[in-house]
Amino acid sequence: MCGIAGLIRADRHGVSATLARMSEAIQHRGPDDLGYFLAAPGASHLGRQAPDDAGWRLGLAHRRLSILDLSEAGWQPMASADGRYVTVFNGEIYNYQELRAELAAAGHAFHTSSDTEVLLVAYRAWGEAALSRFVGMFAFALLDREANTLFLARDFFGIKPLFYSTFAGGLAFASEVKALLEVPEVGRQVAPGPLYDYLRFGLTDHGESTLLADVRQLLPGHCVTIRLDHPDQVAPAPYWRLDPTPRTDLSFDEATTRVRELFLDAVRLHLRSDVPVGAALSGGIDSSAIVMAMRALEPGVKLHTFSFITDDPAASEEHYMRLVAGAAGATMHEVTPRAEELVADLDDLIAAQDFPFGSTGIYAQFRVFRLARAAGITVMLDGQGADELLAGYRFHLSARLASLLRRGHWLEGARFTARAGGLLSSQGPRLFFQAGGLLLPPGLQAAARRLVGEELAPPWLEAGWFTRQGVALAQPHQARAREILREQLVQAVETTSLPALLRYEDRNSMHFGMESRVPFLTPALARFLLSLPEDYLVGPDGTSKAVFRAAMRGLVPD
């Protein structure tokens, strides 16, 4: 887990000095070490200092947070044995041991025990196809000095960030936008389209565009090969897509068994570390399942959990946190921030996040990571992604009902409304109304929004300014598929919810030099969950995460 940055300039002016400033801007991501690689025709430099400019055309920078192979051998930028490839890598490849064994059996030699070297050797052996064989979170740049290209890639779900900016004859990339803003050619002008989506819908992390017109992000599951003689020509392409194919060949019990197997295997891989590992514990089923799985897989390990506890008794889940911590034999650490502490930390929180966030609710997470770091924990496991994959939010009930109605299952829909409405304090009619909204043709959406006071251009928004900028005032997405809940979940993973949550998690953890791991977000588990029948996710009575709850019976306290 680290921070990376890179710069290519055709004019070869100031590459070294600018790269050093970029590296300094993300020092918090890798407090343990740093390194630079600089290159020009006929010359190169690899070391811990960026030497004075000597016509360097390309530079790579790395800030290290030591997790696997804590020795000097794990230092980056890392070059292949023959010097052809050089990489800067942020993240973890959890199945690196299995990949290493496969590559070694094919005759490839290794000189370290790091997953970074596995990445280098895997790319040399398999090229771009290596990406789909990784289980992990990653964003990396890999220089091919022989082919004169730079390869950028980002993991399947976008757990690890990678931003870039192009300008005449140049390219800059980094783990965080604050590093890109150290490059004089990168402007700070706002992008009107993303600004509208933020102001009207609260979206900040979706698609390639960002709130800054000059800054783009490499999409999850995408990669790009950039020619060094044309660094401003960037055309990313997907190497992996979620695209779950619905299946009906498994009974609920069979699906339950498979979910348990996939989940435990994911947690097992995410426990690989050469430093202490802890867990965030909220009291909900997701984090509770992770903690209990950690105990089942590592019976003898000293287990630490970290929790935010609200001082509002009506909202507190402290009882469930203590129940799980006790069952796991874990040492529980807790924090209850006060309002004045939020005020004192707010500037720091904003600086850490780079972009706006939806609410100050992320301050709880910010404080949990600070607490864990103070306790000497470097790696944390967290339940992020489970709500999006397993329909864990209340609004998913209306999407499930809309699916039933769209398919003509009116009687089943009425029964679902009567039973699930009870979970929402007898709000059955409201549930039905919300489902109807999802079924409206696109042409009627605007009128329906006006009726409920949710206009696409409300009075407080200066719609004329956005129209003059060419922005279409519309919803980011409207349901089209017969299975509306499944479509909604895929959209949540790819566009509307998870990207922002992963950004919050990455910046809050890395601000304190910590690695946060999210075991629900593995390709195998995500694809399987989203392929299941909708009623396996939301039960007939509106119970969320039905198949996962069943899979955790006997592992998590009832």
Side-chain angles (χ1 to χ4, degrees):
M1 182 61 61
C2 306
I4 63 174
L7 180 63
I8 304 172
R9 274 183 174 150
D11 61 9
R12 308 180 192 177
H13 175 70
V15 169
S16 177
T18 302
L19 188 66
R21 293 196 304 272
M22 295 173 72
S23 173
E24 185 63 28
I26 53 173
Q27 185 273 339
H28 53 278
R29 296 186 70 91
D32 297 332
D33 211 339
L34 77 163
Y36 296 92
F37 175 82
L38 292 129
S44 65
H45 166 84
L46 184 63
R48 284 184 170 82
Q49 299 296 326
D52 292 337
D53 283 300
W56 304 116
R57 184 188 173 190
L58 174 145
L60 303 175
H62 186 265
R63 286 284 180 165
R64 185 183 185 191
L65 177 63
S66 302
I67 303 294
L68 295 173
D69 192 347
L70 309 184
S71 72
E72 179 72 12
W75 181 82
Q76 294 185 50
M78 183 178 288
S80 60
D82 61 359
R84 173 177 175 176
Y85 300 103
V86 182
T87 191
V88 285
F89 166 49
N90 169 30
E92 304 288 353
I93 299 173
Y94 301 119
N95 63 334
Y96 75 102
Q97 294 178 2
E98 291 80 1
L99 293 174
R100 177 189 173 113
E102 181 180 352
L103 290 162
H108 296 277
F110 289 86
H111 307 282
T112 77
S113 59
S114 72
D115 59 337
T116 306
E117 188 180 21
V118 170
L119 183 154
L120 272 172
V121 176
Y123 184 84
R124 178 167 192 160
W126 302 318
E128 181 184 315
L131 298 174
S132 295
R133 305 182 68 153
F134 296 156
V135 177
M137 54 181 183
F138 52 85
F140 68 87
L142 192 148
L143 174 68
D144 184 338
R145 303 179 70 185
E146 184 176 304
N148 206 35
T149 59
L150 183 71
F151 181 73
L152 302 178
R154 193 176 179 205
D155 67 67
F156 316 98
F157 301 96
I159 303 168
K160 291 292 100 189
L162 188 57
F163 296 93
Y164 67 92
S165 183
T166 58
F167 42 88
L171 166 80
F173 69 86
S175 297
E176 297 184 18
V177 174
K178 57 177 63 71
L180 290 181
L181 295 181
E182 295 295 333
V183 181
E185 293 92 337
V186 179
R188 299 171 183 240
Q189 294 79 14
V190 71
L195 179 62
Y196 170 73
D197 288 342
Y198 168 64
L199 291 175
R200 182 60 194 85
F201 302 106
L203 297 175
T204 58
D205 304 72
H206 66 292
E208 292 180 296
S209 300
T210 72
L211 280 168
L212 296 180
D214 281 2
V215 176
R216 304 182 74 79
Q217 62 175 327
L218 188 64
L219 287 175
H222 279 61
C223 62
V224 60
T225 298
I226 300 163
R227 291 174 50 189
L228 299 186
D229 54 351
H230 294 288
D232 50 358
Q233 297 179 13
V234 180
Y239 66 85
W240 183 85
R241 282 261 169 83
L242 185 54
D243 293 337
T245 301
R247 57 187 302 173
T248 58
D249 59 328
L250 289 176
S251 69
F252 185 83
D253 288 343
E254 290 171 330
T256 294
T257 299
R258 185 60 179 149
V259 167
R260 187 180 180 108
E261 292 171 350
L262 288 169
F263 175 71
L264 287 175
D265 187 56
V267 175
R268 177 184 62 82
L269 286 175
H270 282 70
L271 286 174
R272 288 180 171 171
S273 172
D274 294 330
V275 296
V277 178
L281 177 60
S282 70
I285 182 65
D286 310 326
S287 63
S288 299
I290 289 174
V291 170
M292 297 310 301
M294 292 171 71
R295 173 54 70 219
L297 294 165
E298 300 279 358
V301 73
K302 186 171 178 59
L303 184 55
H304 292 262
T305 65
F306 299 87
S307 303
F308 159 78
I309 297 179
T310 177
D311 56 6
D312 179 2
S316 178
E317 296 182 352
E318 182 178 0
H319 167 73
Y320 301 103
M321 300 174 195
R322 298 198 180 283
L323 184 68
V324 171
T331 300
M332 186 175 172
H333 307 257
E334 56 200 69
V335 61
T336 303
R338 300 186 305 275
E340 55 268 29
E341 293 175 301
L342 169 61
V343 173
D345 287 334
L346 190 56
D347 285 348
D348 204 19
L349 179 64
I350 291 170
Q353 287 296 323
D354 272 343
F355 288 131
F357 38 90
S359 80
T360 52
I362 67 168
Y363 181 59
Q365 185 187 69
F366 183 89
R367 290 296 300 272
V368 164
F369 283 120
R370 178 192 286 175
L371 179 69
R373 188 57 164 166
I377 300 295
T378 310
V379 175
M380 288 267 281
L381 268 60
D382 190 274
Q384 208 66 267
D387 286 318
E388 287 73 21
L389 294 171
L390 286 158
Y393 298 120
R394 288 292 176 88
F395 59 78
H396 289 140
L397 294 175
S398 57
R400 172 59 183 147
L401 176 57
S403 288
L404 291 171
L405 298 179
R406 175 163 284 180
R407 299 172 69 184
H409 297 169
W410 293 90
L411 181 58
E412 189 178 349
R415 291 171 178 162
F416 180 84
T417 301
R419 300 179 69 184
L423 294 177
L424 299 174
S425 303
S426 301
Q427 295 187 41
R430 179 175 176 82
L431 179 62
F432 208 88
F433 179 79
Q434 291 172 334
L438 293 172
L439 295 170
L440 280 176
L444 298 179
Q445 292 278 352
R449 282 184 166 273
R450 284 194 294 271
L451 284 174
V452 296
E454 294 183 1
E455 299 95 332
L456 294 172
W460 51 262
L461 189 72
E462 191 176 342
W465 183 87
F466 287 99
T467 302
R468 290 192 295 273
Q469 307 303 315
V471 177
L473 307 186
Q475 283 182 276
H477 176 74
Q478 296 171 332
R480 297 281 190 271
R482 282 170 58 81
E483 292 191 308
I484 294 175
L485 175 60
R486 190 189 312 279
E487 184 186 34
Q488 192 177 80
L489 295 178
V490 171
Q491 284 294 315
V493 170
E494 296 181 340
T495 306
T496 57
S497 173
L498 190 61
L501 295 176
L502 291 176
R503 189 250 297 183
Y504 302 158
E505 183 117 359
D506 174 80
R507 303 309 189 280
N508 279 339
S509 59
M510 295 307 297
H511 184 72
F512 297 106
M514 292 193 62
E515 174 173 295
S516 182
R517 298 179 175 183
V518 284
F520 280 97
L521 295 178
T522 65
L525 180 56
R527 272 183 166 158
F528 184 78
L529 291 175
L530 290 178
S531 74
L532 294 175
E534 287 189 355
D535 60 342
Y536 286 16
L537 302 179
V538 177
D541 62 351
T543 299
S544 67
K545 307 177 183 177
V547 69
F548 186 67
R549 293 180 191 276
M552 294 299 101
R553 291 284 182 190
L555 181 68
V556 178
D558 286 345

